[in-house]
């Protein structure tokens, strides 16, 4: 991926997830090293509020709409209002949660419970491959026809079951794998 080609192959996605995985490991290790100093209620609230505001409303709306679409015989491409994407993206932003942490520190002081924020975000990205949601895609993961064409034309086999693996890529401009 670069500034002129804003897409990821399976390999680049795996590498980005590995970087977030390192952030997750560092955050979890720091959390457990300071376990005795963690206030559990704030840690739980900080971990959960991200999805309570940013994911669950959109997931609920998407699954209701998807069930309606399916019952009506429409398949694929279930759309929901963009506000759910905005809520997800704002709440799952490292910028937003960094600002939340700064406000928290300013008002109540530093505490180890704040590690719940990067643990949540790094976990989403590293373990589940969840990044920010573009408006052009469905709220829940579903391969877009254009992306399926890209993968086919670029010469990359999709990962079986969406699992984390490093696929074999052929260099651009060559006919061999």
């Amino acid at each position: 991926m670069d500034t002129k080609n804003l897409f990821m192959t399976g390999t680049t996605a795996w590498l980005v997830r590995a970087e977030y995985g390192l952030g997750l490991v560092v955050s979890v290790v720091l959390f457990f090293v300071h376990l005795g100093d963690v206030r559990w209620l704030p840690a739980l609230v900080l971990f959960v509020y991200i999805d309570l505001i940013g994911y669950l409303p959109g997931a609920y709306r998407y699954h209701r709409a998807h069930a309606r679409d399916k019952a009506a015989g429409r398949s694929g491409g279930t759309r929901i209002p963009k506000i759910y994407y905005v809520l997800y993206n704002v709440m799952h932003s490292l910028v937003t949660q960094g600002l939340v942490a700064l406000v928290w520190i300013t008002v109540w002081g530093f505490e180890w419970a704040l590690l719940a924020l990067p643990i949540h975000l790094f976990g989403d990205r590293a373990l589940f491959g969840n990044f920010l949601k573009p408006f052009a895609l469905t709220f829940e993961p579903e391969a877009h026809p254009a992306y399926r064409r890209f993968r086919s034309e670029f010469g990359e086999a999709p990962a079986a079951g969406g699992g984390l693996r490093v696929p074999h890529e052929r260099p651009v401009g060559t006919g061999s794998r």
Side-chain angles (χ1 to χ4, degrees):
M1 181 165 74
D2 58 38
T3 59
K4 301 292 183 191
N5 300 286
L6 297 175
F7 59 83
M8 283 194 237
T9 64
T11 300
T12 54
W14 186 88
L15 292 170
V16 169
R17 287 177 70 176
E19 289 179 353
Y20 281 110
L22 178 60
L24 176 61
V25 167
V26 169
S27 299
V28 167
V29 166
L30 284 171
F31 188 86
F32 280 103
V33 165
H34 297 282
L35 203 55
D37 299 319
V38 172
R39 291 190 316 137
W40 287 97
L41 184 58
L44 181 65
V45 168
L46 288 166
F47 187 86
V48 170
Y49 100 101
I50 294 170
D51 281 344
L52 285 177
I53 296 169
Y55 173 69
L56 291 177
Y60 175 76
R61 182 73 184 262
Y62 173 84
H63 288 288
R64 279 192 55 209
H66 187 68
R68 253 192 329 269
D69 287 351
K70 201 172 184 179
R74 294 186 298 266
S75 63
T78 298
R79 298 289 179 210
I80 61 172
K82 290 181 180 179
I83 186 63
Y84 296 106
Y85 291 79
V86 172
L87 286 171
Y88 182 92
N89 291 341
V90 167
M91 294 306 296
H92 287 83
S93 166
L94 288 166
V95 172
T96 301
Q97 299 313 320
L99 292 172
V100 166
L102 287 175
V103 169
W104 186 287
I105 291 166
T106 302
V107 174
W108 293 292
F110 174 81
E111 64 177 295
W112 293 105
L114 290 167
L115 284 169
L117 299 172
I119 288 171
H120 183 121
L121 298 180
F122 293 160
D124 274 359
R125 286 166 172 77
L127 301 175
F128 306 115
N130 293 333
F131 294 89
L132 301 179
K133 295 185 180 291
F135 293 144
L137 300 179
T138 57
F139 190 81
E140 293 288 13
E142 182 180 310
H144 191 281
Y147 186 69
R148 286 195 300 267
R149 283 192 309 274
F150 156 74
R151 299 228 13 178
S152 172
E153 293 172 17
F154 199 74
E156 181 176 287
L164 184 62
R165 71 175 184 85
V166 180
H168 297 286
E169 293 179 339
R170 68 185 166 123
V172 176
T174 67
S176 61
R177 283 195 170 251

